[in-house]
Amino acid sequence: MIRFEHVTRRYEPDGRPALDDVTVEFNRGDFVFLIGASGSGKSTLLRMILREGLPQRGKVTVAGQNLGLMLERRVPDYRRSIGMVFQDFRLLPDKTVFDNVAFAMRVIGARRTQIRERVTEVLERVGLEDLARRYPHEISGGEQQRAAIARAIVNEPAIVLADEPTGNLDPRASDEVMKILRWINASGTTVIMATHDRVIVDRMRRRVVQLHDGALVRDDERGTYDPPRGSQAWTVLRERESSGALRVQDPRAHDLGEQGDGGATAPGPEAPTADAARAAGRDVPVAAEAVEHAARAQGSASAEEGPTAEHSAPDGTAADTASPQSLAEPVRVRWPEHLRPQQHGPDVPEPVGGFDGSEMPNLARDGYTEPEGEGADPERLRDALRQAVSSHVQMSAGPDGVAEHPHESWFTHAAPGLVDRPGSAATPAAPGSAKARGDEIEDERLRTQSGDDEPPVHDPDLPLTRGQGPRRRAPVPASPAEAEAPADRDDGGLARPLPAVTAATPAEPGAADVPEVLEDLAEPDRESESSDAPQPEPQPEPPPEQVRELDSEAESEHSSARSAPLEAEEGEPPILDDRPPRPVDVDGEEVEDLTEGAPTQVHPGAPDSVDPDSVDPDSPDQDSAGESAASGRSASSSVETVDADSVEAGEASPQVPRPRSSASQSTYADTRRTAEQLGVTGERRSFWRRLRRRR
Ligand SMILES: Nc1ncnc2c1ncn2[C@@H]1O[C@H](COP(=O)(O)OP(=O)(O)OP(=O)(O)O)[C@@H](O)[C@H]1O
């Protein structure tokens, strides 16, 4: 069903390949764990299945379709036939749980009744029926992930790709997520899950595909997290692995490792040994040294017993019997009572240790006091929480002061939504790091791939439509500083001008308006027509006056397109009429306003606060601020423009809709990416198609 043939993918021309000559096949109904150290290429592989990036060499085929030959305009439909789940959930923050799930159905043009039935059913299936009206920041991480899974499966995709779906979850929430993924797989869906969670992999005993430095080193039918000692993969990994750092593991993995797995498996490839490093003439990694120290200190059996048939390496040298990760791990995560898993499988030990109150973050100590009378100041609270987390981390760290997974502390759970989760877009990569550069390149690629002729699909700083967000009593700036001088804030490279109509897409005769399901792609290589297909005729450029006129139409229509996420076809009312915009389904019917009865309060930390500039202070009905602001006509009032000097200095573009707060910057990025991965680029194309037809 999914086939990689000698696939090599580099992000930079001279860089190390993220995937290196990978050949692997995933069959319909498979449940596959994709494992490997950080940076080994797991996400890259998943993204290639989603057709985010093409190989420089080799080919990726899904249901007989060579993705390299797929027409760009087919990509959105294709992506809609795949469910994607991320470590950081990527729910749209301004939509309720119900609407987040419904969103995936709306983009494929499902009917309102169909949406209501199916979403309700799926939410029940993942145990979220009671939380349907909540917003993402009002539910726990585990619940958010279940909502994200519900969204991924609501259209019954043939494939579900999950990129570390349990990476941010506590053990109990992880178990719930895995139960759901198992159920999805049992119903015939192919599930490919990238993970670092040893416990889950060892417990489920499903197919394990392992990458190392971009190369496929193992494909075991019913594998464990570590390759069996003495196996070919074990040898390969041992040879290849002579440097590197320990990878953060699920805390349960440490417990498991420490209680002993009997040495039945080799040290993971992510666990370098000091010997191996010395043998290779390299510096001994700090982590490996720590392993040695710990082993010596504990009088490790492996050091004293010498090699045995079971424990010896294939070359006859003594092998470590204890998991180096468990010994070298500098941080012991202690789960508070209420977060401990209630039920354990036979092979999952209870997390050890109690929760020591002295480790608790202390806001007062870090200088935070609640402002009197007005409630929490979100910005200050956020800073204080960060500070407290950092102190907490230092206190939790081992003797060497290194804390590897502070996010797994109770604190993230205690303050969900207020603390940036590692791996989320809110936690930027270190400046200048390869990851940061990569992110920039990837962002740029996404921008150019989606085409400069296409406006961003959703800007959280533009007004919300009915049904997209909670009613608000009054606009609340995300921070005092933001309310005063947002203009020179870094826009994260996301902002760009609304497009000129002259740059409209080329004609796409016969563009498919009806979404295709994966099965439709089963006809092998039918997109190979791409090279032979008749090229669209170039559109003549309109005269300048018409361009200006069309530009303003484009802007208005862009706003309308936001409010009507579906492409209504024949018989739909004209876009630029005077009706207040309301979300409609493909039949032109209004979509149910699910915000009725939704909470009216703006919560601190909620990233989607209504832009104060977009609200008329004289408006008699402040309650409807969000709705009135939702009008396409008012969109421009919420768009900050950038002065010409900064443009010349290369800092920004003119007339750029600019995210207003750091929170909205991250949600903007998340939203855009999520929407693209749900195939929403098709909506934007349809918008331009309609515009072209009007000309
Ligand atoms: N957008 C990008 N631009 C440049 N390099 C990238 C980009 N994305 C990933 N890489 C690089 O490609 C390699 C593989 O990265 P990838 O994210 O696929 O690894 P991974 O196994 O998923 O890691 P993790 O477990 O940390 O998520 C890494 O060296 C990474 O730095």
Side-chain angles (χ1 to χ4, degrees), residues 243-316:
S243 65
L246 292 182
R247 164 75 199 185
V248 174
Q249 298 283 333
D250 185 291
R252 289 175 304 173
H254 310 137
D255 299 335
L256 183 68
E258 202 159 75
Q259 295 192 8
D261 54 15
T265 57
E270 301 150 30
T273 64
D275 281 349
R278 286 190 196 103
R282 303 197 189 159
D283 290 343
V284 177
V286 176
E289 262 182 346
V291 171
E292 272 192 342
H293 280 304
R296 268 200 294 274
Q298 296 191 7
S300 158
S302 66
E304 290 171 10
E305 280 173 9
T308 65
E310 193 186 17
H311 296 163
S312 61
D315 59 3

Coordinates of all heavy atoms in Angstrom, one line a residue, residues 243-316:
S243 N 28.8 7.5 18.9 CA 28.7 8.8 19.6 C 27.3 9.2 19.6 O 26.4 8.6 19.0 CB 29.5 9.8 18.8 OG 28.9 10.0 17.5
G244 N 27.0 10.3 20.2 CA 25.6 10.8 20.3 C 25.2 11.0 21.7 O 26.0 10.9 22.6
A245 N 24.0 11.4 21.8 CA 23.5 11.7 23.2 C 22.3 10.8 23.5 O 21.6 10.3 22.6 CB 23.1 13.1 23.2
L246 N 22.1 10.7 24.8 CA 20.9 9.9 25.2 C 19.6 10.6 24.8 O 19.6 11.8 24.9 CB 20.9 9.7 26.7 CG 22.1 8.8 27.2 CD1 21.9 8.6 28.7 CD2 22.0 7.4 26.5
R247 N 18.7 9.9 24.5 CA 17.4 10.4 24.1 C 16.4 10.4 25.3 O 16.4 9.4 26.0 CB 16.9 9.6 22.9 CG 15.4 9.8 22.6 CD 15.1 11.1 21.9 NE 13.7 11.5 22.0 CZ 13.2 12.5 21.4 NH1 13.9 13.3 20.7 NH2 11.9 12.8 21.6
V248 N 15.7 11.5 25.4 CA 14.7 11.5 26.5 C 13.7 10.3 26.2 O 13.3 10.1 25.1 CB 13.9 12.8 26.4 CG1 12.7 12.8 27.4 CG2 14.8 14.0 26.7
Q249 N 13.4 9.6 27.3 CA 12.5 8.5 27.2 C 11.3 8.7 28.0 O 11.3 9.6 28.9 CB 13.2 7.2 27.7 CG 14.4 6.8 26.9 CD 14.0 6.2 25.6 OE1 13.0 5.6 25.5 NE2 14.9 6.3 24.6
D250 N 10.3 8.0 27.7 CA 9.1 8.0 28.6 C 9.6 7.5 30.0 O 10.4 6.6 30.1 CB 8.1 7.0 28.1 CG 6.8 7.1 28.9 OD1 6.9 6.6 30.1 OD2 5.8 7.5 28.4
P251 N 9.2 8.3 31.0 CA 9.7 7.9 32.4 C 9.5 6.5 32.7 O 10.3 5.9 33.5 CB 9.0 8.9 33.3 CG 7.9 9.6 32.5 CD 8.4 9.4 31.0
R252 N 8.4 5.9 32.2 CA 8.1 4.5 32.6 C 9.2 3.6 32.0 O 9.5 2.6 32.6 CB 6.8 4.1 32.0 CG 5.6 4.7 32.7 CD 4.4 4.4 32.1 NE 4.4 4.7 30.7 CZ 3.4 4.4 29.8 NH1 2.4 3.7 30.2 NH2 3.5 4.8 28.6
A253 N 9.8 4.1 30.9 CA 10.9 3.3 30.3 C 12.1 3.2 31.3 O 12.7 2.1 31.4 CB 11.3 3.9 29.0
H254 N 12.3 4.3 32.0 CA 13.5 4.2 32.9 C 13.1 3.3 34.1 O 14.0 2.5 34.5 CB 13.7 5.6 33.5 CG 13.9 6.6 32.4 ND1 13.3 7.9 32.5 CD2 14.4 6.6 31.2 CE1 13.5 8.5 31.4 NE2 14.2 7.8 30.6
D255 N 11.9 3.4 34.5 CA 11.5 2.5 35.6 C 11.7 1.1 35.2 O 12.2 0.2 35.9 CB 10.1 2.8 36.0 CG 10.0 4.2 36.5 OD1 11.0 4.8 37.0 OD2 8.9 4.7 36.5
L256 N 11.2 0.8 34.0 CA 11.2 -0.6 33.5 C 12.7 -1.0 33.4 O 13.0 -2.1 33.8 CB 10.5 -0.6 32.1 CG 10.5 -2.0 31.5 CD1 9.5 -2.9 32.3 CD2 10.0 -2.0 30.1
G257 N 13.5 -0.1 32.8 CA 14.9 -0.5 32.6 C 15.6 -0.8 33.9 O 16.3 -1.7 34.1
E258 N 15.3 0.1 34.8 CA 15.9 0.0 36.1 C 15.5 -1.3 36.8 O 16.3 -1.9 37.5 CB 15.6 1.2 37.0 CG 16.7 1.4 38.0 CD 16.6 2.8 38.5 OE1 15.7 3.1 39.2 OE2 17.5 3.6 38.1
Q259 N 14.3 -1.7 36.7 CA 13.9 -2.9 37.4 C 14.3 -4.1 36.7 O 14.2 -5.2 37.1 CB 12.3 -2.9 37.5 CG 11.9 -1.7 38.4 CD 10.5 -1.8 38.8 OE1 9.8 -2.9 38.6 NE2 10.0 -0.8 39.5
G260 N 14.9 -3.9 35.5 CA 15.6 -5.0 34.8 C 14.8 -5.6 33.8 O 13.7 -6.1 34.0
D261 N 15.3 -5.7 32.6 CA 14.6 -6.4 31.6 C 15.4 -7.7 31.3 O 15.2 -8.4 30.3 CB 14.5 -5.6 30.3 CG 15.8 -5.1 29.8 OD1 16.9 -5.6 30.3 OD2 15.8 -4.2 28.9
G262 N 16.2 -8.0 32.3 CA 16.9 -9.3 32.2 C 18.0 -9.4 31.2 O 18.6 -10.4 31.0
G263 N 18.3 -8.2 30.7 CA 19.4 -8.2 29.7 C 19.0 -8.9 28.4 O 19.9 -9.3 27.6
A264 N 17.7 -9.1 28.2 CA 17.3 -9.9 27.0 C 17.5 -9.1 25.8 O 17.6 -9.6 24.7 CB 15.9 -10.2 27.1
T265 N 17.7 -7.8 25.9 CA 17.9 -7.0 24.7 C 19.1 -6.2 24.8 O 19.7 -5.9 25.9 CB 16.7 -6.0 24.6 OG1 16.6 -5.2 25.8 CG2 15.4 -6.7 24.4
A266 N 19.6 -5.8 23.7 CA 20.8 -5.0 23.7 C 20.5 -3.6 24.1 O 19.4 -3.1 24.1 CB 21.3 -5.0 22.2
P267 N 21.6 -2.9 24.5 CA 21.4 -1.4 24.8 C 20.9 -0.8 23.5 O 21.3 -1.1 22.4 CB 22.8 -0.9 25.1 CG 23.7 -2.0 24.8 CD 23.0 -3.3 24.7
G268 N 20.0 0.1 23.7 CA 19.4 0.8 22.5 C 20.5 1.5 21.7 O 21.5 1.9 22.3
P269 N 20.2 1.7 20.5 CA 21.2 2.4 19.6 C 21.4 3.8 20.1 O 22.4 4.4 19.7 CB 20.5 2.3 18.3 CG 19.1 2.1 18.5 CD 19.0 1.3 19.8
E270 N 20.4 4.3 20.9 CA 20.6 5.7 21.3 C 21.5 5.7 22.6 O 21.7 6.8 23.1 CB 19.2 6.3 21.6 CG 18.3 6.2 20.4 CD 16.9 6.1 20.8 OE1 16.6 6.6 21.9 OE2 16.1 5.5 20.1
A271 N 21.9 4.6 23.0 CA 22.7 4.6 24.2 C 24.1 4.2 23.9 O 24.5 3.0 23.9 CB 22.1 3.6 25.2
P272 N 25.0 5.2 23.6 CA 26.3 4.9 23.3 C 27.1 4.3 24.5 O 26.8 4.7 25.6 CB 26.9 6.2 22.8 CG 26.1 7.2 23.6 CD 24.7 6.6 23.8
T273 N 28.0 3.5 24.2 CA 28.9 3.1 25.3 C 30.2 3.8 25.2 O 30.7 4.2 24.1 CB 29.1 1.5 25.2 OG1 29.9 1.3 24.0 CG2 27.8 0.8 25.2
A274 N 30.8 4.0 26.4 CA 32.1 4.6 26.4 C 33.1 3.8 25.6 O 34.0 4.4 24.9 CB 32.5 4.8 27.9
D275 N 33.1 2.5 25.8 CA 34.0 1.6 25.1 C 33.9 1.8 23.6 O 34.9 1.9 22.9 CB 33.7 0.2 25.4 CG 34.2 -0.2 26.7 OD1 35.0 0.6 27.3 OD2 33.9 -1.3 27.2
A276 N 32.7 1.9 23.1 CA 32.5 2.0 21.7 C 33.1 3.3 21.2 O 33.8 3.4 20.1 CB 31.0 2.0 21.3
A277 N 33.0 4.4 22.0 CA 33.5 5.7 21.6 C 35.0 5.6 21.6 O 35.7 6.1 20.6 CB 33.0 6.7 22.5
R278 N 35.6 5.0 22.6 CA 37.0 4.9 22.6 C 37.6 4.1 21.5 O 38.5 4.4 20.8 CB 37.5 4.3 24.0 CG 37.3 5.2 25.1 CD 37.9 4.7 26.4 NE 37.4 5.4 27.5 CZ 36.5 5.0 28.4 NH1 36.0 3.8 28.3 NH2 36.1 5.7 29.4
A279 N 36.9 3.0 21.2 CA 37.3 2.1 20.1 C 37.3 2.9 18.8 O 38.2 2.6 17.9 CB 36.4 0.9 20.0
A280 N 36.4 3.8 18.7 CA 36.3 4.5 17.4 C 37.2 5.7 17.4 O 37.2 6.5 16.5 CB 34.8 4.9 17.2
G281 N 37.9 5.9 18.5 CA 38.8 7.0 18.6 C 38.2 8.4 18.8 O 38.7 9.4 18.4
R282 N 36.9 8.3 19.3 CA 36.2 9.6 19.5 C 36.1 10.0 20.9 O 36.4 9.2 21.8 CB 34.8 9.5 18.9 CG 34.8 9.1 17.5 CD 33.5 9.4 16.9 NE 33.4 8.8 15.6 CZ 32.3 8.5 14.9 NH1 31.2 8.7 15.5 NH2 32.4 7.9 13.7
D283 N 35.7 11.2 21.1 CA 35.5 11.6 22.5 C 34.4 10.8 23.1 O 33.4 10.4 22.5 CB 35.0 13.1 22.5 CG 36.1 14.0 22.1 OD1 37.3 13.6 22.2 OD2 35.8 15.2 21.8
V284 N 34.6 10.5 24.4 CA 33.6 9.7 25.1 C 32.4 10.6 25.5 O 32.6 11.6 26.1 CB 34.2 9.0 26.4 CG1 33.1 8.3 27.1 CG2 35.3 8.1 26.0
P285 N 31.2 10.2 25.0 CA 30.1 11.1 25.3 C 29.9 11.1 26.9 O 30.1 10.2 27.6 CB 28.9 10.4 24.7 CG 29.5 9.5 23.7 CD 30.8 9.1 24.2
V286 N 29.4 12.3 27.3 CA 29.2 12.5 28.7 C 28.3 11.4 29.2 O 28.5 10.8 30.3 CB 28.6 13.9 29.0 CG1 28.3 14.1 30.4 CG2 29.6 15.0 28.5
A287 N 27.2 11.2 28.5 CA 26.2 10.2 28.9 C 26.8 8.8 29.1 O 26.5 8.1 30.0 CB 25.1 10.2 27.9
A288 N 27.7 8.5 28.2 CA 28.3 7.2 28.2 C 29.2 7.1 29.5 O 29.3 6.1 30.2 CB 29.1 6.9 27.0
E289 N 29.9 8.2 29.7 CA 30.7 8.2 30.9 C 29.9 8.0 32.2 O 30.2 7.3 33.1 CB 31.5 9.5 31.0 CG 32.9 9.4 30.5 CD 33.7 10.7 30.7 OE1 33.1 11.7 30.9 OE2 34.9 10.6 30.5
A290 N 28.7 8.7 32.1 CA 27.8 8.5 33.3 C 27.4 7.1 33.5 O 27.3 6.6 34.6 CB 26.6 9.4 33.1
V291 N 27.2 6.4 32.3 CA 26.8 5.0 32.4 C 27.9 4.2 33.1 O 27.7 3.4 34.0 CB 26.6 4.4 31.0 CG1 26.5 2.9 31.0 CG2 25.4 5.1 30.3
E292 N 29.2 4.5 32.7 CA 30.3 3.8 33.3 C 30.3 4.0 34.8 O 30.5 3.1 35.6 CB 31.6 4.2 32.7 CG 32.0 3.5 31.4 CD 33.4 3.8 31.0 OE1 34.0 4.8 31.4 OE2 33.9 3.0 30.2
H293 N 30.2 5.3 35.1 CA 30.3 5.6 36.6 C 29.2 4.9 37.3 O 29.5 4.3 38.4 CB 30.1 7.1 36.7 CG 31.4 7.9 36.5 ND1 32.6 7.6 37.1 CD2 31.6 8.9 35.6 CE1 33.5 8.5 36.7 NE2 33.0 9.2 35.7
A294 N 28.0 5.0 36.8 CA 26.9 4.4 37.5 C 27.1 2.9 37.6 O 26.8 2.3 38.6 CB 25.6 4.7 36.8
A295 N 27.6 2.3 36.5 CA 27.7 0.9 36.5 C 28.8 0.5 37.6 O 28.6 -0.5 38.3 CB 28.2 0.4 35.2
R296 N 29.8 1.3 37.6 CA 30.9 0.9 38.6 C 30.3 1.1 40.0 O 30.5 0.2 40.9 CB 32.1 1.9 38.4 CG 33.1 1.3 37.5 CD 34.5 1.9 37.7 NE 34.5 3.3 37.3 CZ 34.7 3.7 36.0 NH1 34.9 2.8 35.1 NH2 34.7 5.0 35.7
A297 N 29.6 2.2 40.2 CA 29.1 2.5 41.5 C 28.1 1.4 42.0 O 28.1 1.1 43.2 CB 28.4 3.9 41.5
Q298 N 27.4 0.9 41.1 CA 26.4 -0.1 41.5 C 26.9 -1.5 41.4 O 26.1 -2.4 41.6 CB 25.1 0.1 40.6 CG 24.5 1.4 40.8 CD 23.1 1.5 40.1 OE1 22.6 0.4 39.6 NE2 22.5 2.6 40.1
G299 N 28.1 -1.6 41.0 CA 28.7 -3.0 40.9 C 27.9 -3.8 39.9 O 27.5 -4.9 40.2
S300 N 27.7 -3.2 38.8 CA 26.8 -3.8 37.8 C 27.2 -5.2 37.5 O 28.4 -5.6 37.4 CB 26.9 -2.9 36.5 OG 26.5 -3.7 35.4
A301 N 26.2 -6.0 37.5 CA 26.4 -7.4 37.2 C 27.2 -7.6 35.9 O 28.0 -8.5 35.8 CB 25.0 -8.1 37.1
S302 N 26.9 -6.8 35.0 CA 27.5 -7.0 33.7 C 29.0 -6.8 33.8 O 29.8 -7.5 33.1 CB 26.9 -6.0 32.6 OG 27.3 -4.7 33.0
A303 N 29.4 -5.9 34.6 CA 30.8 -5.7 34.7 C 31.6 -6.8 35.4 O 32.7 -7.1 35.1 CB 31.1 -4.4 35.5
E304 N 30.8 -7.5 36.3 CA 31.5 -8.6 37.1 C 31.3 -9.9 36.5 O 32.1 -10.8 36.6 CB 31.0 -8.5 38.5 CG 31.5 -7.2 39.2 CD 30.9 -7.0 40.6 OE1 30.2 -7.9 41.0 OE2 31.1 -5.9 41.1
E305 N 30.1 -10.2 35.9 CA 29.8 -11.5 35.5 C 30.6 -11.9 34.3 O 30.8 -13.1 34.0 CB 28.3 -11.6 35.2 CG 27.5 -11.8 36.4 CD 26.0 -11.7 36.1 OE1 25.7 -11.7 34.9 OE2 25.2 -11.6 37.0
G306 N 30.9 -11.0 33.5 CA 31.6 -11.3 32.2 C 30.6 -11.8 31.2 O 29.4 -12.0 31.6
P307 N 31.0 -12.0 30.0 CA 30.1 -12.4 29.0 C 29.4 -13.8 29.2 O 30.1 -14.7 29.7 CB 30.9 -12.4 27.7 CG 32.3 -12.5 28.2 CD 32.4 -11.9 29.5
T308 N 28.2 -13.9 28.9 CA 27.5 -15.2 28.9 C 26.9 -15.3 27.5 O 26.9 -14.4 26.7 CB 26.4 -15.2 29.9 OG1 25.4 -14.3 29.5 CG2 26.9 -14.9 31.3
A309 N 26.4 -16.5 27.3 CA 25.8 -16.7 25.9 C 24.7 -15.7 25.6 O 24.6 -15.1 24.6 CB 25.2 -18.1 25.8
E310 N 24.0 -15.4 26.7 CA 22.8 -14.5 26.5 C 23.3 -13.1 26.4 O 22.8 -12.2 25.7 CB 21.8 -14.7 27.6 CG 20.5 -14.0 27.3 CD 19.6 -14.1 28.4 OE1 20.0 -14.4 29.5 OE2 18.4 -13.9 28.2
H311 N 24.3 -12.8 27.3 CA 24.6 -11.4 27.5 C 25.8 -10.9 26.7 O 26.2 -9.8 26.8 CB 24.9 -11.1 28.9 CG 23.6 -11.3 29.8 ND1 23.7 -11.5 31.1 CD2 22.3 -11.4 29.4 CE1 22.5 -11.7 31.6 NE2 21.6 -11.6 30.6
S312 N 26.4 -11.8 26.0 CA 27.6 -11.3 25.3 C 27.3 -10.8 23.9 O 26.3 -11.2 23.3 CB 28.6 -12.5 25.2 OG 28.0 -13.5 24.4
A313 N 28.1 -9.9 23.5 CA 28.0 -9.3 22.2 C 28.5 -10.3 21.2 O 29.2 -11.3 21.5 CB 28.9 -8.1 22.1
P314 N 28.1 -10.2 20.0 CA 28.4 -11.2 19.0 C 29.9 -11.3 18.8 O 30.4 -12.4 18.4 CB 27.8 -10.6 17.7 CG 27.0 -9.4 18.0 CD 27.3 -9.1 19.4
D315 N 30.6 -10.3 19.1 CA 32.1 -10.4 18.9 C 32.7 -11.0 20.2 O 33.9 -11.0 20.3 CB 32.7 -9.0 18.6 CG 32.3 -8.0 19.7 OD1 31.7 -8.4 20.7 OD2 32.7 -6.8 19.5
G316 N 31.9 -11.4 21.1 CA 32.5 -12.1 22.2 C 32.9 -11.2 23.4 O 33.2 -11.6 24.5

